[in-house]
Amino acid sequence: MIFGTPVYAGRVPNKVLPMIQGLFQGNDAFAVPVVTFGNRNYDNALIELRNELENNHFHTIAAGAFVAQHAFTDQLATMRPGKSDQEEIRGFAKRIVTIVEMIQTLGEIPKPVQVKGIEPIPPYYTPLGIDGKPAKFLKAKPKTKSNCDHCDLCVKVCPMGSINSEDPSKIDGICIKCQACVKKCPKQAKYFDDPAFLSHVEMLKRNYQRAAKNEIFVSDGRENEIQ
């Protein structure tokens, strides 16, 4: 099983973690944990996901962390994964096939794939503002412009089901700042104006423009670059 999740504040998103812990049982199946991150860092998300899958009786045989355009802005990791990223991902997929064949030939259950990260898993990364101080925007929610035509597309794409179907300007539940409603709105009627959130976005844009690299790991414990 290929099990993927985005990285939130350097870890598995806290609203996704209970689902991973409670809804999946491996029954000794092979698994490949994969995380995507928006050009800052994946910190401890990959080791956390690996541990949760192992706890649920999967055998992790490979793992990967791949860069994707940041959810908060199109100015970080713009248009990634690009062509070279996709080539790496295809190479990774081929590598997984080889690992499975090797394990089946040997007939041995592999040890958990060794990945980067800290154990025990430390707290979530603290988002910072442009002034270097913690930016607190957990309660930030998208606003709606007057040109909204109530097409309800934002209602459909919200992964948390938090946008009111009767009035899309109302947020009834949790907002995880994924920007799905902002990016998918054909009228560009959704936006965020929370000062702390916008300050954090500016901090990211200033400090994380370098092209972060994808990283893969295989079950022999060695980090490998895809050729």
Side-chain angles (χ1 to χ4, degrees), residues 28 34 46 69 75 78 155 172 185 187 193 204 214 216:
D28 294 323
V34 174
L46 192 58
Q69 183 171 300
Q75 296 180 43
T78 306
V155 176
D172 294 333
C185 178
K187 296 288 186 177
D193 65 357
L204 292 172
N214 305 314
I216 69 164

Side-chain angles (χ1 to χ4, degrees), residues 133-185:
K133 298 178 180 179
K136 299 179 180 180
F137 52 84
L138 282 177
K139 295 183 179 180
K141 295 181 179 181
K143 301 291 183 63
T144 306
K145 298 178 184 177
S146 59
N147 64 332
C148 170
D149 63 2
H150 296 260
C151 71
D152 284 346
L153 183 58
C154 61
V155 176
K156 296 174 183 176
V157 301
C158 176
M160 304 305 293
S162 295
I163 300 178
N164 189 295
S165 59
E166 305 256 330
D167 183 356
S169 67
K170 294 181 179 180
I171 309 299
D172 294 333
I174 295 168
C175 174
I176 60 172
K177 323 299 183 286
C178 70
Q179 310 291 302
C181 61
V182 174
K183 294 181 178 181
K184 293 294 185 179
C185 178

